[in-house]
Amino acid sequence: MSVAAIRRFASEAAAVAGVSDREFTVLFVGARKMTQLNSKYRRRKHATDVLSFSAGDAHALSNYLGDIVICPEVARRNSSSFARELRILVLHGILHLIGYDHEADNGEMNRVELRLRRRLGLR
């Protein structure tokens, strides 16, 4: 999947999530770096597929939502369609940046994500 394709999809995903006027960064890192980030910020000593770092209230007056960090090595292991998985992770990251938390919201983020996946053709 090309950088241009990821950029186009990120714009589409932001639009369906209602934040087309906001900016965010998508960064791809290796498993070693993702393990370091996951350990530092989530106290989990393994690489994960995606982490999101919200700009939060510090940038409330700006258009910047935050950063989405994706580990392609883990993403490739998690799906038979690498391009589809990258799209799902971008969408998942955007939802975290706008405040959803699947670990604490009784399934709300999952329901929203599934609905938006359908709208984006990610069934």
Side-chain angles (χ1 to χ4, degrees), residues 1-7 9 82-84 86-87:
M1 184 170 199
S2 71
V3 171
I6 292 167
R7 184 176 286 133
F9 178 79
F82 181 58
R84 179 180 181 275
L86 289 180
R87 288 178 177 97

PDB file of all heavy atoms in Angstrom, residues 1-7 9 82-84 86-87:
ATOM      1  N   MET A   1       0.857  -1.175   0.000  1.00  0.00           N
ATOM      2  CA  MET A   1       0.000   0.000   0.000  1.00  0.00           C
ATOM      3  C   MET A   1       0.899   1.233   0.000  1.00  0.00           C
ATOM      4  O   MET A   1       1.796   1.350   0.816  1.00  0.00           O
ATOM      5  CB  MET A   1      -0.891  -0.049   1.241  1.00  0.00           C
ATOM      6  CG  MET A   1      -1.880   1.059   1.317  1.00  0.00           C
ATOM      7  SD  MET A   1      -3.061   0.744   2.653  1.00  0.00           S
ATOM      8  CE  MET A   1      -4.324   1.833   2.123  1.00  0.00           C
ATOM      9  N   SER A   2       0.648   2.138  -0.899  1.00  0.00           N
ATOM     10  CA  SER A   2       1.493   3.321  -1.039  1.00  0.00           C
ATOM     11  C   SER A   2       1.163   4.385   0.007  1.00  0.00           C
ATOM     12  O   SER A   2       0.075   4.378   0.597  1.00  0.00           O
ATOM     13  CB  SER A   2       1.318   3.915  -2.434  1.00  0.00           C
ATOM     14  OG  SER A   2       0.037   4.515  -2.545  1.00  0.00           O
ATOM     15  N   VAL A   3       2.094   5.281   0.186  1.00  0.00           N
ATOM     16  CA  VAL A   3       1.885   6.404   1.098  1.00  0.00           C
ATOM     17  C   VAL A   3       0.681   7.228   0.635  1.00  0.00           C
ATOM     18  O   VAL A   3      -0.151   7.641   1.449  1.00  0.00           O
ATOM     19  CB  VAL A   3       3.153   7.284   1.195  1.00  0.00           C
ATOM     20  CG1 VAL A   3       2.882   8.558   1.964  1.00  0.00           C
ATOM     21  CG2 VAL A   3       4.289   6.500   1.823  1.00  0.00           C
ATOM     22  N   ALA A   4       0.571   7.435  -0.664  1.00  0.00           N
ATOM     23  CA  ALA A   4      -0.560   8.197  -1.199  1.00  0.00           C
ATOM     24  C   ALA A   4      -1.890   7.508  -0.887  1.00  0.00           C
ATOM     25  O   ALA A   4      -2.869   8.169  -0.534  1.00  0.00           O
ATOM     26  CB  ALA A   4      -0.402   8.394  -2.699  1.00  0.00           C
ATOM     27  N   ALA A   5      -1.927   6.184  -1.009  1.00  0.00           N
ATOM     28  CA  ALA A   5      -3.155   5.440  -0.713  1.00  0.00           C
ATOM     29  C   ALA A   5      -3.507   5.534   0.773  1.00  0.00           C
ATOM     30  O   ALA A   5      -4.684   5.674   1.131  1.00  0.00           O
ATOM     31  CB  ALA A   5      -3.008   3.982  -1.131  1.00  0.00           C
ATOM     32  N   ILE A   6      -2.511   5.469   1.623  1.00  0.00           N
ATOM     33  CA  ILE A   6      -2.756   5.605   3.064  1.00  0.00           C
ATOM     34  C   ILE A   6      -3.267   7.010   3.373  1.00  0.00           C
ATOM     35  O   ILE A   6      -4.210   7.189   4.142  1.00  0.00           O
ATOM     36  CB  ILE A   6      -1.489   5.280   3.871  1.00  0.00           C
ATOM     37  CG1 ILE A   6      -1.158   3.795   3.732  1.00  0.00           C
ATOM     38  CG2 ILE A   6      -1.650   5.670   5.339  1.00  0.00           C
ATOM     39  CD1 ILE A   6       0.217   3.420   4.223  1.00  0.00           C
ATOM     40  N   ARG A   7      -2.664   7.998   2.753  1.00  0.00           N
ATOM     41  CA  ARG A   7      -3.087   9.386   2.966  1.00  0.00           C
ATOM     42  C   ARG A   7      -4.536   9.576   2.521  1.00  0.00           C
ATOM     43  O   ARG A   7      -5.332  10.191   3.231  1.00  0.00           O
ATOM     44  CB  ARG A   7      -2.152  10.325   2.210  1.00  0.00           C
ATOM     45  CG  ARG A   7      -2.463  11.788   2.457  1.00  0.00           C
ATOM     46  CD  ARG A   7      -1.470  12.714   1.787  1.00  0.00           C
ATOM     47  NE  ARG A   7      -0.222  12.662   2.540  1.00  0.00           N
ATOM     48  CZ  ARG A   7       0.980  12.513   1.979  1.00  0.00           C
ATOM     49  NH1 ARG A   7       1.113  12.388   0.690  1.00  0.00           N
ATOM     50  NH2 ARG A   7       2.052  12.488   2.735  1.00  0.00           N
ATOM     51  N   PHE A   9      -6.879   7.246   2.250  1.00  0.00           N
ATOM     52  CA  PHE A   9      -7.770   6.537   3.158  1.00  0.00           C
ATOM     53  C   PHE A   9      -7.902   7.285   4.484  1.00  0.00           C
ATOM     54  O   PHE A   9      -8.997   7.379   5.043  1.00  0.00           O
ATOM     55  CB  PHE A   9      -7.322   5.101   3.426  1.00  0.00           C
ATOM     56  CG  PHE A   9      -8.238   4.444   4.404  1.00  0.00           C
ATOM     57  CD1 PHE A   9      -9.465   3.959   3.987  1.00  0.00           C
ATOM     58  CD2 PHE A   9      -7.917   4.388   5.749  1.00  0.00           C
ATOM     59  CE1 PHE A   9     -10.361   3.414   4.900  1.00  0.00           C
ATOM     60  CE2 PHE A   9      -8.802   3.838   6.665  1.00  0.00           C
ATOM     61  CZ  PHE A   9     -10.030   3.353   6.239  1.00  0.00           C
ATOM     62  N   PHE A  82      -3.063  -7.379   4.234  1.00  0.00           N
ATOM     63  CA  PHE A  82      -2.248  -6.340   4.860  1.00  0.00           C
ATOM     64  C   PHE A  82      -2.817  -4.948   4.591  1.00  0.00           C
ATOM     65  O   PHE A  82      -2.932  -4.127   5.503  1.00  0.00           O
ATOM     66  CB  PHE A  82      -0.812  -6.461   4.355  1.00  0.00           C
ATOM     67  CG  PHE A  82       0.141  -5.469   4.951  1.00  0.00           C
ATOM     68  CD1 PHE A  82       0.338  -5.407   6.320  1.00  0.00           C
ATOM     69  CD2 PHE A  82       0.863  -4.618   4.136  1.00  0.00           C
ATOM     70  CE1 PHE A  82       1.233  -4.502   6.875  1.00  0.00           C
ATOM     71  CE2 PHE A  82       1.759  -3.712   4.671  1.00  0.00           C
ATOM     72  CZ  PHE A  82       1.947  -3.651   6.041  1.00  0.00           C
ATOM     73  N   ALA A  83      -3.197  -4.657   3.357  1.00  0.00           N
ATOM     74  CA  ALA A  83      -3.736  -3.334   3.024  1.00  0.00           C
ATOM     75  C   ALA A  83      -5.021  -3.049   3.801  1.00  0.00           C
ATOM     76  O   ALA A  83      -5.213  -1.940   4.319  1.00  0.00           O
ATOM     77  CB  ALA A  83      -3.990  -3.227   1.525  1.00  0.00           C
ATOM     78  N   ARG A  84      -5.885  -4.044   3.910  1.00  0.00           N
ATOM     79  CA  ARG A  84      -7.130  -3.878   4.678  1.00  0.00           C
ATOM     80  C   ARG A  84      -6.812  -3.632   6.146  1.00  0.00           C
ATOM     81  O   ARG A  84      -7.396  -2.765   6.785  1.00  0.00           O
ATOM     82  CB  ARG A  84      -8.011  -5.120   4.525  1.00  0.00           C
ATOM     83  CG  ARG A  84      -9.304  -5.051   5.309  1.00  0.00           C
ATOM     84  CD  ARG A  84     -10.137  -6.334   5.098  1.00  0.00           C
ATOM     85  NE  ARG A  84     -11.379  -6.271   5.813  1.00  0.00           N
ATOM     86  CZ  ARG A  84     -11.527  -6.606   7.108  1.00  0.00           C
ATOM     87  NH1 ARG A  84     -10.496  -7.041   7.798  1.00  0.00           N
ATOM     88  NH2 ARG A  84     -12.709  -6.518   7.695  1.00  0.00           N
ATOM     89  N   LEU A  86      -4.122  -2.318   7.478  1.00  0.00           N
ATOM     90  CA  LEU A  86      -3.593  -0.964   7.675  1.00  0.00           C
ATOM     91  C   LEU A  86      -4.725   0.053   7.711  1.00  0.00           C
ATOM     92  O   LEU A  86      -4.714   0.968   8.542  1.00  0.00           O
ATOM     93  CB  LEU A  86      -2.595  -0.602   6.573  1.00  0.00           C
ATOM     94  CG  LEU A  86      -1.255  -1.307   6.613  1.00  0.00           C
ATOM     95  CD1 LEU A  86      -0.379  -0.836   5.461  1.00  0.00           C
ATOM     96  CD2 LEU A  86      -0.543  -1.107   7.947  1.00  0.00           C
ATOM     97  N   ARG A  87      -5.699  -0.109   6.850  1.00  0.00           N
ATOM     98  CA  ARG A  87      -6.853   0.807   6.855  1.00  0.00           C
ATOM     99  C   ARG A  87      -7.612   0.718   8.172  1.00  0.00           C
ATOM    100  O   ARG A  87      -7.991   1.734   8.761  1.00  0.00           O
ATOM    101  CB  ARG A  87      -7.774   0.494   5.678  1.00  0.00           C
ATOM    102  CG  ARG A  87      -7.211   0.889   4.343  1.00  0.00           C
ATOM    103  CD  ARG A  87      -8.172   0.488   3.211  1.00  0.00           C
ATOM    104  NE  ARG A  87      -7.688   0.908   1.928  1.00  0.00           N
ATOM    105  CZ  ARG A  87      -7.011   0.126   1.100  1.00  0.00           C
ATOM    106  NH1 ARG A  87      -6.757  -1.142   1.418  1.00  0.00           N
ATOM    107  NH2 ARG A  87      -6.597   0.588  -0.057  1.00  0.00           N
TER     108      ARG A  87
END
